[in-house]
Amino acid sequence: MAHLTAEEVEHIALLGRLSLTEEEKARYAQQLSAVLDYAVELASIDVEGIPPTATVLAAHNIMRQDDLPSLSIERDDALKNAPRTDGISFEVQATFEDRDA
Amino acid sequence: MTFCTLTIQQAREGLRARQFSSVEITRVFLTRIHELNPTLNAYITVNDDEALAQALAADARMARGDDTPLLGVPIAIKDVLSTRGLRTTAGSRILENYVPTWDATSIKRLRDAGAVFLGKTNLDEFAMGSSTENSGYGVTRNPWDQTRVPGGSSGGSAAAVAADLCCAALGTDTGGSVRQPAALCGITGLKDTYGRVSRNGLIAYGSSLDTVGVLAKTARDAAIVLSVIAGCDPLDSTSVDTPVADYPAALNGSIAGLRIGVPREYFIDGMQAEVTSAVRAGIEQLRQMGATIKEISLPSTHVALPVYYLIAPAEASANLARFDGVRYGLRVPGNDLIDTYGKTRGAGFGAEVKRRIMLGTYALSAGYYDAYYIRAQKVRTLIKQEFERAFDEVDIIASPVTPTTAFKIGEKVDDPIQMYLADVFTLPCNLAGICGISIPCGFDAANLPIGLQLMGKAFDEINLLRIADAYQNETSWHMRKPVLS
């Protein structure tokens, strides 16, 4: 039986970049445990020597010249749906603090 | 003449014979949408102005002698496919104001073929769900019984086709999202082979499983649309360079000698008895039409559900990382960038999407990756191999689409496992990457539709559509209509 603790749920939510309410954390701890219990069935299946399937296609690298500039979109179009821009770029909060400031 | 019941085939015949114009039928559909959509909620966005402009342009093209497969035909589009200049929400509040600046490849192909876009249809948020109850824009109601769900995630498209609010619609199918709502709404739903139709411009959910499919009134209409949207695309490296057949031309009505396999694992305890008997009767009908029937076994069927609910959420957790409030969509400012990401996503995503991101993130996290994600991918290999072996013996596999007919709105919403079980017969097809179709094969005592699922080997849409079309030549289940005021 998988039983996710409150700490585990908080850790996963941080990894998934999801701010959750206390009520959501409690609910997901219970529901995710139930789904993971269901997945326990897989542990009983013999997969010795079986390769994983990441794609059903016979995947291979496709190489081409970097010559499709027409597929790019214009800057104004790229910015059209952005929540905040200065007209030429997306505006976001700083990723790193400026330690010298 | 009641234009709204027109199939694509009938619409094209009438347009070609100048019995009516595209503008005329488009207006009739738009009027009906405005009359019925406030109750059914099949459409999130109605595209009045552009649809009439497209219809006008189609009429002008016809006057010049143009004749393309969908010229002037009014259709609907699941709101997870990007449409240039037309809001695309993916059923999520996080994309409430998102207007794509480019078309998905499938949409571009529909435009080139002359289709008229009536609007964008409702869906479970990011196509995650089996009932359309997870939409950020309210539930869609089943036209056969408005207290019941239409299925999902393409529930808006299915309800729109069933209620004659369009001639046909595009949907997407990651685990059954075309076939299951088609079954619950009594229409035809085609999930083509993975790689047959470009995914470029489809807002991604599970990238190794996602397919663009068709919801239609007949198998022939599904064949017409598939011929338009199928084909290799340089913008999708997983689209496959296999020749596109003239699918409508291949529908010759003959299924004599086709070998149909019936997997015993698809008839399980707890299924609605009326579903079992209608599906069995449908298979018997195919036998009488000249097919040979053989019982087969797909022993790993019962683990398709846990495999899917590890792989699909894992892929979703990666795909949905792009919704960070920077380039598009909602932004809820926080104390710093990480806090902004969390607040934006916490507020913008609905409960099921968050549940799947959590599940997928867990399955991919250090310490659990091998036990859950890699193990699920290995079992996926077994499922795929079982189908390959089965297709050595048979041409087509026949089964139920769903264990029950349409369930009540609210009935399963608090129990994820019960909801996930609605897809138990449709998930394996996606995991194996093959093609499948749902066609109406009966009704239960409450007059709710029942679907028959046919599955074909990869890129064998011809046999799949041929058998579905032949069945519809001999039966009339697909012609029944719900009573709507």
Side-chain angles (χ1 to χ4, degrees):
Chain A
M1 294 284 277
H3 284 293
L4 295 188
T5 63
E7 291 73 35
E8 281 177 305
V9 168
E10 277 179 23
H11 177 62
I12 301 163
L14 176 65
L15 291 176
R17 301 289 185 264
L18 292 170
S19 295
L20 300 181
T21 63
E22 291 308 313
E23 191 266 331
E24 283 176 315
K25 286 177 199 169
R27 186 149 38 94
Y28 287 142
Q30 183 261 320
Q31 289 179 337
L32 296 180
S33 299
V35 176
L36 291 171
D37 276 349
Y38 210 84
V40 163
E41 236 180 308
L42 298 184
S44 64
I45 295 182
D46 181 9
V47 290
E48 187 66 35
I50 303 291
T53 294
T55 170
V56 293
L57 301 173
H60 55 280
N61 286 328
I62 297 171
M63 309 299 281
R64 64 162 173 79
Q65 296 297 315
D66 190 16
D67 61 355
L68 293 171
S70 64
L71 300 177
S72 173
I73 56 172
E74 297 297 322
R75 184 173 67 195
D76 286 352
D77 277 347
L79 294 173
K80 246 177 205 164
N81 284 289
R84 253 184 82 177
T85 81
D86 62 0
I88 54 170
S89 47
F90 301 112
E91 279 195 343
V92 290
Q93 286 153 299
T95 308
F96 301 104
E97 287 174 49
D98 184 353
R99 286 170 197 268
D100 299 328
Chain B
M1 163 146 216
T2 352
F3 292 141
C4 291
T5 60
L6 290 172
T7 63
I8 293 175
Q9 188 191 13
Q10 291 165 341
R12 281 301 303 144
E13 282 167 4
L15 288 164
R16 242 185 245 120
R18 303 284 192 274
Q19 285 169 1
F20 43 77
S21 69
S22 177
V23 167
E24 233 177 309
I25 59 174
T26 300
R27 277 190 204 285
V28 170
F29 274 112
L30 289 171
T31 304
R32 186 171 169 87
I33 291 168
H34 287 293
E35 188 184 302
L36 293 178
N37 202 55
T39 335
L40 292 176
N41 199 31
Y43 285 86
I44 293 177
T45 305
V46 185
N47 192 28
D48 296 81
D49 294 346
E50 192 194 8
L52 285 169
Q54 287 174 312
L56 205 60
D59 285 334
R61 279 178 63 183
M62 279 183 273
R64 289 198 305 267
D66 275 14
D67 188 354
T68 49
L70 297 174
L71 192 53
V73 178
I75 62 161
I77 296 158
K78 186 177 183 180
D79 204 19
V80 72
L81 290 157
S82 304
T83 42
R84 190 186 61 228
L86 179 58
R87 182 172 77 135
T88 301
T89 68
S92 181
R93 287 290 169 189
I94 211 166
L95 287 178
E96 190 168 0
N97 300 309
Y98 176 65
V99 180
T101 56
W102 50 290
D103 275 330
T105 299
S106 53
I107 298 302
K108 186 176 181 306
R109 289 183 175 175
L110 291 179
R111 272 192 214 278
D112 294 345
V116 171
F117 299 158
L118 292 169
K120 305 295 291 286
T121 54
N122 200 9
L123 67 153
D124 288 296
E125 186 176 5
F126 288 104
M128 298 179 195
S130 312
S131 68
T132 320
E133 289 167 294
N134 298 331
S135 170
Y137 301 84
V139 67
T140 296
R141 293 178 182 275
N142 191 314
W144 292 91
D145 177 348
Q146 295 182 13
T147 66
R148 292 175 188 272
V149 304
S153 67
S154 310
S157 285
V161 173
D164 289 322
L165 301 180
C166 58
C167 286
L170 281 197
T172 62
D173 192 317
T174 304
S177 283
V178 163
R179 290 158 289 152
Q180 186 256 15
L184 268 41
C185 288
I187 60 163
T188 301
L190 171 69
K191 176 239 177 282
D192 30 68
T193 306
Y194 182 80
R196 178 70 296 181
V197 177
S198 170
R199 293 184 293 111
N200 173 53
L202 159 61
I203 297 174
Y205 160 25
S207 298
S208 79
L209 304 157
D210 288 343
T211 53
V212 179
V214 188
L215 297 108
K217 297 177 188 180
T218 64
R220 181 167 291 274
D221 278 5
I224 293 170
V225 177
L226 182 63
S227 284
V228 170
I229 61 175
C232 193
D233 175 14
L235 298 180
D236 174 6
S237 63
T238 61
S239 69
V240 175
D241 193 8
T242 298
V244 177
D246 183 346
Y247 298 105
L251 308 182
N252 59 13
S254 168
I255 63 165
L258 272 182
R259 299 165 303 168
I260 298 177
V262 182
R264 65 177 74 97
E265 292 83 2
Y266 280 65
F267 296 85
I268 54 174
D269 289 347
M271 271 176 73
Q272 192 176 332
E274 293 156 302
V275 171
T276 307
S277 56
V279 169
R280 293 274 186 207
I283 293 167
E284 171 58 20
Q285 171 74 36
L286 294 171
R287 193 188 63 75
Q288 286 172 19
M289 289 162 57
T292 58
I293 310 295
K294 180 179 180 176
E295 189 181 56
I296 62 167
S297 177
L298 296 166
S300 296
T301 299
H302 68 289
V303 287
L305 191 128
V307 168
Y308 178 87
Y309 279 100
L310 291 171
I311 290 177
E315 294 182 4
S317 71
N319 274 324
L320 270 60
R322 62 172 58 95
F323 299 100
D324 58 4
V326 174
R327 290 156 300 161
Y328 33 67
L330 177 77
R331 179 188 295 185
V332 180
N335 299 326
D336 53 30
L337 191 56
I338 292 235
D339 192 36
T340 296
Y341 291 157
K343 285 202 165 77
T344 297
R345 294 158 61 79
F349 291 141
E352 180 64 21
V353 170
K354 285 190 260 194
R355 187 151 50 227
R356 293 200 195 181
I357 291 173
M358 295 284 287
L359 188 58
T361 302
Y362 181 77
L364 291 176
S365 64
Y368 301 100
Y369 181 79
D370 288 319
Y372 287 108
Y373 182 61
I374 295 292
R375 177 162 280 269
Q377 286 190 322
K378 288 179 177 176
V379 180
R380 181 179 184 181
T381 305
L382 295 176
I383 292 169
K384 183 168 179 282
Q385 288 172 346
E386 283 174 13
F387 274 103
E388 285 162 359
R389 278 197 294 274
F391 283 124
D392 286 339
E393 294 180 61
V394 297
D395 303 300
I396 293 285
I397 295 172
S399 79
V401 184
T402 57
T404 67
T405 53
F407 45 91
K408 291 270 187 189
I409 291 170
E411 188 182 323
K412 303 186 182 198
V413 83
D414 292 322
D415 189 343
I417 301 256
Q418 279 309 309
M419 186 70 89
Y420 297 169
L421 281 166
D423 294 334
V424 67
F425 299 141
T426 49
L427 302 169
C429 183
N430 298 77
L431 292 169
I434 58 175
C435 56
I437 194 167
S438 169
I439 51 175
C441 70
F443 285 79
D444 71 6
N447 199 35
L448 297 169
I450 298 168
L452 169 65
Q453 177 171 237
L454 303 169
M455 292 179 274
K457 58 188 87 154
F459 298 101
D460 193 20
E461 278 82 1
I462 281 192
N463 269 324
L464 196 67
L465 289 163
R466 181 180 286 155
I467 197 163
D469 172 66
Y471 181 84
Q472 292 182 341
N473 290 342
E474 300 293 322
T475 58
S476 61
W477 303 114
H478 64 291
M479 290 158 75
R480 286 215 200 168
K481 298 281 183 188
V483 180
L484 290 160
S485 50

